[in-house]
Amino acid sequence: MRITPRKVAAATAVAALGLTLTACSSGGEDDGAAVDTADKMVGAMEDYGVGTTFKATEPLTFGLMYRDHPNYPLQKDWSILKAFEEEHNVTFDIQSVPLADWQQKRALLISSGDAADLIPSTYAADVETLTSGGAVLPISDYLDYLPNFQDKVEKWGLQEDLDRLRQADGKFYVLPGLHESPKPSYSIAIREDWWEDAGLEDPKTWDEFADQLEVIKEEHPELDYPYTERWSINGPMEATLQAAAGNFGTEAGWGYGDGVTWNGSEYEYTGTSEGYKELVSYFADLVDRGLLDPEGLTQEDDPAIAKLTTGKVAALGVNDQEMTRYRTGFEEAGDKDAKLKEIVVPAGPAGNIMDATTGGRFESGIALSSKAAERDDFVAMLQFVDWLYYSDEGLEFAKWGIEGETYTKDADGTRTLADDVDWSGLNPGAPKLLNTDFGYYNGVWSLAHGSTSDLVRSTLTPEVQGFLDEMNQKDVAEKGPGIAMDEMQREESSLLQTNLQDLVMTATSQFILGDRSLDEWDAYVAEVESAGAQTYVDTVNQAAGVTE
C-alpha cells in the first residue's frame, strides 16, 4: 500500500511522574495549561512506562460512560470487569447509555456537565462542537503521561494525522484508537458459485462489475434484480458508497464527513464535485439497467439480507463480520450449496484508491470530562487509559481476554479461542461468545479495535486476511491539511453544513433512483451553491490555512 508521504518526526520522550502535569510541547500548545497534581497522585504507579502492567496502588473507581450494545448488553459479572478489579485494582461507576440513544445522550450529558469521567466510543468530530464550553478535557495537554500512546504514534508514523485533530486553540480533545495499518472491511458479497457457473472472475473495475451483473441477470432470469443494498437508514447505501468513493475521486456515504474533499490544492465541496457526480451516475445507471434493486436505497438490513439468503439476489453490501451472518442465513434457509465471496472493492475512473476515511488509521477513541482532572486519582486514570487502550498487553487483553480462560497461545504466539468460546465464526458451534458472555472484544474497552497489525489479523479468517492484503495494495487518497475552526467559524458552519448535507443526501437518492434526471445536475449544483456551499468551503479553506 502506498500512502502520500507526509511524515512528521515526533519527539515522544516518556516523562517520569512529577509534581505537575505539563502540556505536551509538540504542536505548539500553551504550557500555561499545566495542572498542579500534588494532590492527584492517589493510586498512581511511580515507575509506570512502556511495557509496564498498570495496577493501581490502591482500589480506584472511575466514572465510565458505557455505550450499551444490544448484541452484547452489559453484564455485571463479566470476566473483563472481574479482571479489571482483581488484576488492576479498578472498578467503574457506569453511566449506561443504550446504543440507540448514544449520539444524542452523550452530547447532552457532556454539554450539561453530567458526563462520566471516561467517554469511550467517541470520535473527535463527536465533541468538536462541545469543547468551547470547557466540559471536555484537552487531552493533548497530558500526553507526557501516556507513554504507550506516544510510543505508537511515533513508531507508526501517526504524528501528522494526530495533529490534524487539533482545533484552533492548538489542542485536541479525543485520544483516537490507533491502527498500525489500515483495516478496510466493507465491500460487496457475491454468489461465488453463480459467478463460477457463468465463467466469471472477480471484477477488477466497477464497470466490469456492472457487466457481470448483466450476465448474472441473464443466467438467472428468476431474479428481479441481481444486486441489492443495505445500510441505508440515514442515507442511501452508505457503506458501499463510502467503499466505492475513493475510486471515483470523492467521498460519500459514511465517509461524507465534513462535506469537503481535498483536490490537491484546496478543499472543494464534495456533493457538487465531478467525482461525486461520476459516483452517483454509476449507481444510477445500475438502477436504470435493472441491475440494482431500488429498494436497496431505503430498506432495512434484515429484508436486504433475506433477499440474498433466499436466492432473490446475487450480491449485497457486506463487511467481514457480516459474511458469517450471511452464511448462517443460507444454512437456515436450507441452501447448502451457496458459496459467498467478499470481492475486493473494484477500481474506478480515479484509479485503484481507498478514500481517506477507509484508508485512515484512526478509530473511535476516548474523551475525558474536564472534571476528571479534579480527581485525586487523575494521574492513575491517565495511566490506566494508556495501558488499556495503547499498550500491547492491554490491547491483547481487551480483545482476546484471559489466557487459559478465553484463549490459549502457542509458543509461536498463535492465539486460539477456548473450545467453548466463539467470535465471528472462528469457533462455530461453541456455546459462548467472547463479547456477549465475557465482555471482551467490546468497543468500549478496545476503542473499536484499533490495534497492532498482528492483533487485527489474529481474529480474522484466512479469507478475510486475504481480502485485507489485497485492499492494502490500493493507494490511499490524500487527506489534505487539518481544518482547525475557531469557535465562531464552527458555530457559523455547523448548521450550514447540516443543511447542505441534507440537501445532498436527498438529491443523491433521487438521482440514483431515477426520480430526478442527471440532466438536472447543473440545476442541483446551483441549489447547493445557493444554500451556502461556497461560503462553507471558503471557511473550511481559511481554517485549513489554504486561503487567508
Side-chain angles (χ1 to χ4, degrees):
M1 176 190 61
R2 292 190 292 112
I3 300 177
T4 304
R6 290 172 295 152
K7 295 181 180 178
V8 177
T12 55
V14 178
L17 285 175
L19 294 179
T20 60
L21 283 176
T22 58
C24 175
S25 59
S26 175
E29 284 143 82
D30 183 1
D31 287 348
V35 175
D36 184 1
T37 59
D39 59 348
K40 304 183 189 304
M41 308 295 292
V42 172
M45 298 176 65
E46 293 185 3
D47 58 350
Y48 179 73
V50 175
T52 304
T53 299
F54 174 79
K55 184 173 184 177
T57 59
E58 61 181 81
L60 302 176
T61 299
F62 300 143
L64 174 73
M65 190 185 297
Y66 184 85
R67 185 201 62 178
D68 203 347
H69 199 295
N71 289 350
Y72 42 96
L74 178 65
Q75 305 293 327
K76 293 183 179 180
D77 62 349
W78 268 345
S79 168
I80 193 170
L81 293 174
K82 292 178 181 178
F84 281 139
E85 181 173 11
E86 296 171 5
E87 303 298 328
H88 306 284
N89 252 347
V90 170
T91 56
F92 297 102
D93 180 6
I94 291 180
Q95 186 178 52
S96 183
V97 179
L99 177 64
D101 301 327
W102 178 248
Q103 297 280 352
Q104 183 176 1
K105 187 150 186 194
R106 176 183 56 197
L108 180 63
L109 289 168
I110 291 173
S111 60
S112 66
D114 295 326
D117 303 300
L118 303 176
I119 312 169
S121 305
T122 298
Y123 287 94
D126 295 329
V127 299
E128 65 182 6
T129 62
L130 304 173
T131 58
S132 60
V136 183
L137 189 74
I139 192 62
S140 55
D141 284 348
Y142 310 108
L143 298 188
D144 285 343
Y145 292 87
L146 304 168
N148 286 289
F149 176 81
Q150 292 195 83
D151 181 59
K152 283 184 167 48
V153 167
E154 180 179 28
K155 285 181 177 178
W156 295 350
L158 292 170
Q159 185 63 49
E160 186 172 354
D161 288 326
L162 186 64
D163 287 338
R164 285 176 51 83
L165 300 182
R166 297 184 187 277
Q167 298 191 11
D169 59 5
K171 304 175 188 292
F172 58 85
Y173 293 77
V174 171
L175 287 171
L178 306 178
H179 271 304
E180 184 175 4
S181 57
K183 185 187 175 295
S185 61
Y186 286 86
S187 184
I188 295 175
I190 62 171
R191 281 291 300 267
E192 186 179 18
D193 51 332
W194 291 1
W195 253 250
E196 290 175 349
D197 290 344
L200 301 173
E201 297 181 351
D202 292 356
K204 301 300 182 185
T205 67
W206 282 103
D207 284 344
E208 186 177 347
F209 178 62
D211 292 341
Q212 292 182 354
L213 291 175
E214 288 276 17
V215 173
I216 294 298
K217 185 178 181 181
E218 293 174 2
E219 294 286 326
H220 295 271
E222 73 277 11
L223 300 179
D224 291 331
Y225 302 94
Y227 168 37
T228 195
E229 264 301 344
R230 56 176 297 199
W231 290 305
S232 298
I233 302 303
N234 299 313
M237 39 196 292
E238 293 179 289
T240 296
L241 287 185
Q242 176 177 336
N247 302 284
F248 290 81
T250 190
E251 297 173 345
W254 286 332
Y256 193 82
D258 49 22
V260 292
T261 301
W262 181 250
N263 64 16
S265 59
E266 64 180 0
Y267 285 102
E268 61 182 1
Y269 193 68
T270 302
T272 57
S273 66
E274 187 61 28
Y276 197 83
K277 180 183 180 182
E278 290 185 343
L279 176 71
V280 170
S281 297
Y282 174 81
F283 286 97
D285 182 61
L286 293 187
V287 171
D288 185 57
R289 292 159 62 182
L291 304 177
L292 172 59
D293 176 13
E295 291 183 354
L297 275 74
T298 56
Q299 69 188 349
E300 295 185 357
D301 290 350
D302 288 346
I305 296 170
K307 288 179 180 179
L308 177 69
T309 57
T310 58
K312 294 180 179 178
V313 298
L316 174 64
V318 75
N319 63 33
D320 53 287
Q321 294 183 32
E322 290 295 284
M323 284 289 285
T324 301
R325 182 179 177 186
Y326 294 178
R327 285 174 173 142
T328 299
F330 277 112
E331 292 174 4
E332 292 174 347
D335 190 344
K336 298 181 179 179
D337 297 325
K339 291 171 58 180
L340 278 184
K341 182 174 185 180
E342 181 178 10
I343 61 171
V344 173
V345 177
N352 191 23
I353 300 171
M354 280 194 285
D355 74 286
T357 302
T358 302
R361 292 190 285 154
F362 284 173
E363 288 279 7
S364 67
I366 184 167
L368 277 72
S369 296
S370 291
K371 63 185 181 182
E374 303 170 4
R375 296 176 57 112
D376 60 9
D377 57 4
F378 178 50
V379 172
M381 181 183 292
L382 292 175
Q383 291 177 345
F384 172 75
V385 166
D386 181 67
W387 172 80
L388 176 62
Y389 295 118
Y390 302 105
S391 74
D392 289 349
E393 181 184 41
L395 289 168
E396 181 179 56
F397 163 75
K399 186 165 190 172
W400 277 91
I402 298 175
E403 187 173 359
E405 178 185 2
T406 56
Y407 76 102
T408 58
K409 184 188 286 190
D410 296 340
D412 65 358
T414 301
R415 307 168 188 84
T416 303
L417 287 171
D419 291 342
D420 61 342
V421 180
D422 184 28
W423 164 253
S424 193
L426 285 178
N427 199 3
K432 299 177 182 178
L433 295 176
L434 191 58
N435 54 0
T436 305
D437 296 293
F438 297 90
Y440 301 107
Y441 218 115
N442 178 333
V444 171
W445 288 299
S446 57
L447 295 188
H449 325 302
S451 195
T452 65
S453 294
D454 169 64
L455 276 172
V456 166
R457 296 173 70 88
S458 69
T459 52
L460 301 180
T461 64
E463 174 189 28
V464 177
Q465 291 185 33
F467 170 81
L468 188 61
D469 289 341
E470 290 193 61
M471 285 293 294
N472 278 325
Q473 296 301 311
K474 290 176 174 284
D475 295 341
V476 178
E478 187 177 356
K479 297 179 181 178
I483 303 169
M485 291 188 183
D486 59 33
E487 183 178 353
M488 181 175 295
Q489 289 173 320
R490 190 180 303 112
E491 183 176 334
E492 293 174 349
S493 298
S494 179
L495 181 59
L496 182 59
Q497 165 54 5
T498 298
N499 292 337
L500 287 168
Q501 184 165 333
D502 288 345
L503 193 161
V504 171
M505 292 303 111
T506 298
T508 298
S509 292
Q510 291 173 335
F511 283 130
I512 294 177
L513 288 170
D515 294 337
R516 185 172 186 177
S517 171
L518 282 160
D519 292 339
E520 298 181 25
W521 183 265
D522 290 344
Y524 151 73
V525 171
E527 292 168 10
V528 177
E529 290 177 348
S530 67
Q534 191 58 53
T535 298
Y536 176 69
V537 171
D538 289 344
T539 301
V540 167
N541 280 317
Q542 183 179 13
V546 177
T547 59
E548 295 184 359

